[in-house]
Amino acid sequence: MYCIEDENLPDGFMSSARQIEKFTSVLPYAMSLTLFPIAWYSSLTGGWTVLLLPLIGWFLFSLGDAILGLNTMNANPNTPDHRLIWYRRLTIIWVPLQLITLFGIIWIATSSNHLGTLEKICLFFGIGVITGTIGINYSHELMHKKSRTERRLSDVLLAMVMYSHFKSEHLLVHHRYIGTPRDAVTARYNESFFSFFRRVIRQSLRSSFEAEKAMLARKNLPWTDLSNPFFRYWALQGAMILLALVLGGWAGLGLFLWQAFVAVWQLELVNYIEHYGLTRKHLGNGQYEQVGPHHSWNAAHMASNWLLINLQRHSDHHIKPDRRFPLLQNHEETSAPQLPYGYHIMTIFAMIPSLWRRNMNPRVQQWRKMYYPEITNWKPYNKALNPLPR
């Protein structure tokens, strides 16, 4: 999709046709909003319809990738922010819609008798797919923005899946240490997703807290200072737990925590895919080369990039983290490694370790030959090394 600027018209006199064009350009990305009425329909109908959300989220967009193919076109990266208003509104409106849907369906599921236990489990599995695949992704978009409002909305989305520390981990650790042993979410070569998941759940919480603590220490403040965002994280998560209890009792809390687990599982599947086996060259004395486009896996598949608001253009995100999603640039195979399929298919591969390694290990080997032919001993890069001292 293009974000087209009309340089011949002043901002105050942009034609109505141009305004319509700007609105319609966001519609493919806004297809994700249709998942909310589907969620409500499933909760009110029950039966086989409780499977609609994961089927659509995983398979329909994968089918779309197969039909529509790749989109390698790039928008003008210098498009000013005020011309991206509809893209910004999309990420903002998602927050209240997800909040109302999640807790509204908790109330429906626990206050009516038309849903059996298995139906509730399947329904909230599907909701977790939404809050993880899309909700956390929108949170990721919002946390990188300068607007305080957008950053706070990011906190709300993460609190709905009990993973608020992801914001600190992502901003302070991942973007700085990607491709090094210091970054927990850079998946090691030959590491299975299940080993990765257990490791990341433990390490990311610790590293994010230590990163915030270190920032406060540089200001001569203790970690207990109220400016520590972890107090905001804990308060928001506590509010979500309380709301689930009020609306649905212990059963409501159980369903809330179940969807949160599924959402985090979805997030870490994507984290696993994004940098698997890609490492920055060690320069000695604890120093690493700068991050480049070749340190992230990319996918140009059109339909899944609509759903994931161009997250698969991941190299450009690491080059320009605050760039809004419609302006993220596609990198060709000559400058960045490419996945054979979109993230939806690759997450399925990731949960089958033998299938994942058969598809991805040869690509990592080729990547090493292409970018680092001078490195003959990859053993230090193949295993999860102990983090370097801070």
Side-chain angles (χ1 to χ4, degrees):
M1 299 298 295
Y2 281 114
C3 295
I4 302 175
E5 295 184 62
D6 190 336
E7 297 178 352
N8 299 319
L9 291 174
D11 291 343
F13 296 93
M14 181 174 286
S15 67
S16 58
R18 182 67 65 187
Q19 292 282 13
I20 294 172
E21 181 182 11
K22 287 170 63 181
F23 172 73
T24 56
S25 67
V26 78
L27 291 180
Y29 299 103
M31 284 192 296
S32 59
L33 296 176
T34 62
L35 294 172
F36 288 122
I38 292 171
W40 285 99
Y41 173 75
S42 298
S43 69
L44 294 170
T45 306
W48 69 271
T49 66
V50 298
L51 300 176
L52 281 173
L53 291 175
L55 286 174
I56 293 171
W58 278 350
F59 299 110
L60 185 61
F61 280 87
S62 298
L63 179 61
D65 284 342
I67 295 172
L68 298 174
L70 306 181
N71 175 24
T72 59
M73 295 162 45
N74 288 320
N76 179 1
N78 297 316
T79 302
D81 206 48
H82 70 272
R83 295 182 186 249
L84 304 173
I85 186 64
W86 287 106
Y87 298 94
R88 181 173 181 264
R89 285 171 177 169
L90 171 62
T91 56
I92 289 175
I93 194 62
W94 180 273
V95 183
L97 290 177
Q98 179 176 305
L99 184 72
I100 293 168
T101 299
L102 172 60
F103 289 101
I105 294 179
I106 285 176
W107 179 77
I108 290 173
T110 55
S111 62
S112 57
N113 299 319
H114 69 287
L115 294 173
T117 300
L118 182 59
E119 288 171 297
K120 293 176 184 177
I121 292 172
C122 291
L123 175 61
F124 278 84
F125 176 87
I127 291 175
V129 170
I130 292 180
T131 57
T133 303
I134 306 174
I136 296 181
N137 190 30
Y138 279 29
S139 172
H140 169 257
E141 170 77 6
L142 293 166
M143 72 174 64
H144 279 286
K145 301 302 170 276
K146 296 177 182 178
S147 162
R148 182 184 178 90
T149 298
E150 288 175 289
R151 296 198 306 272
R152 290 295 178 263
L153 288 173
S154 172
D155 291 337
V156 174
L157 284 172
L158 290 176
M160 277 187 260
V161 295
M162 301 298 290
Y163 216 58
S164 297
H165 68 276
F166 170 68
K167 181 179 180 181
S168 294
E169 189 278 334
H170 185 79
L171 297 178
L172 303 181
V173 182
H174 176 60
H175 270 270
R176 182 175 180 183
Y177 298 114
I178 169 186
T180 76
R182 290 276 292 273
D183 180 34
V185 299
T186 295
R188 291 23 170 171
Y189 179 76
N190 240 16
E191 181 180 30
S192 74
F193 167 70
F194 303 100
S195 296
F196 169 84
F197 185 76
R198 290 192 298 270
R199 179 175 61 78
V200 167
I201 291 296
R202 181 180 67 256
Q203 292 181 3
S204 65
L205 179 59
R206 182 171 67 244
S207 64
S208 60
F209 186 85
E210 290 299 323
E212 293 290 359
K213 182 179 177 181
M215 282 193 65
L216 289 168
R218 288 193 287 273
K219 300 176 185 177
N220 295 318
L221 295 172
W223 75 264
T224 52
D225 189 85
L226 292 181
S227 62
N228 187 339
F230 271 80
F231 289 110
R232 183 171 67 252
Y233 300 162
W234 293 331
L236 283 170
Q237 290 179 173
M240 298 298 172
I241 289 173
L242 181 61
L243 185 55
L245 278 169
V246 169
L247 291 173
W250 292 110
L253 178 60
L255 293 172
F256 170 76
L257 295 177
W258 168 235
Q259 69 79 32
F261 174 80
V262 174
V264 171
W265 183 271
Q266 293 291 307
L267 165 67
E268 297 304 350
L269 274 169
V270 171
N271 277 335
Y272 177 77
I273 290 166
E274 287 172 337
H275 306 285
Y276 173 78
L278 306 183
T279 52
R280 287 155 64 188
K281 185 177 180 180
H282 187 237
L283 304 177
N285 299 319
Q287 300 299 311
Y288 289 83
E289 65 175 321
Q290 285 190 329
V291 177
H294 60 292
H295 292 121
S296 302
W297 291 102
N298 293 260
H301 300 80
M302 185 179 293
S304 51
N305 265 324
W306 285 342
L307 183 67
L308 300 174
I309 55 172
N310 285 338
L311 180 66
Q312 297 174 141
R313 295 186 169 196
H314 205 60
S315 288
D316 199 57
H317 169 67
H318 276 278
I319 294 170
K320 185 69 173 175
D322 62 347
R323 180 171 283 164
R324 289 200 183 272
F325 73 87
L327 305 186
L328 289 172
Q329 304 292 289
N330 179 70
H331 284 261
E332 301 290 345
E333 193 170 4
T334 54
S335 62
Q338 305 294 313
L339 293 169
Y341 306 101
Y343 279 11
H344 299 86
I345 295 295
M346 297 309 297
T347 56
I348 296 173
F349 283 16
M351 290 186 286
I352 309 172
S354 60
L355 182 60
W356 173 264
R357 292 185 180 117
R358 186 160 62 247
N359 278 270
M360 290 304 296
N361 282 9
R363 286 180 165 80
V364 175
Q365 296 287 349
Q366 182 60 36
W367 174 86
R368 290 174 173 181
K369 292 176 183 178
M370 180 175 179
Y371 292 102
Y372 302 102
E374 73 280 8
I375 299 179
T376 57
N377 180 20
W378 282 94
K379 288 183 179 179
Y381 294 89
N382 288 348
K383 58 185 178 180
L385 303 176
N386 291 326
L388 296 169
R390 295 188 181 276

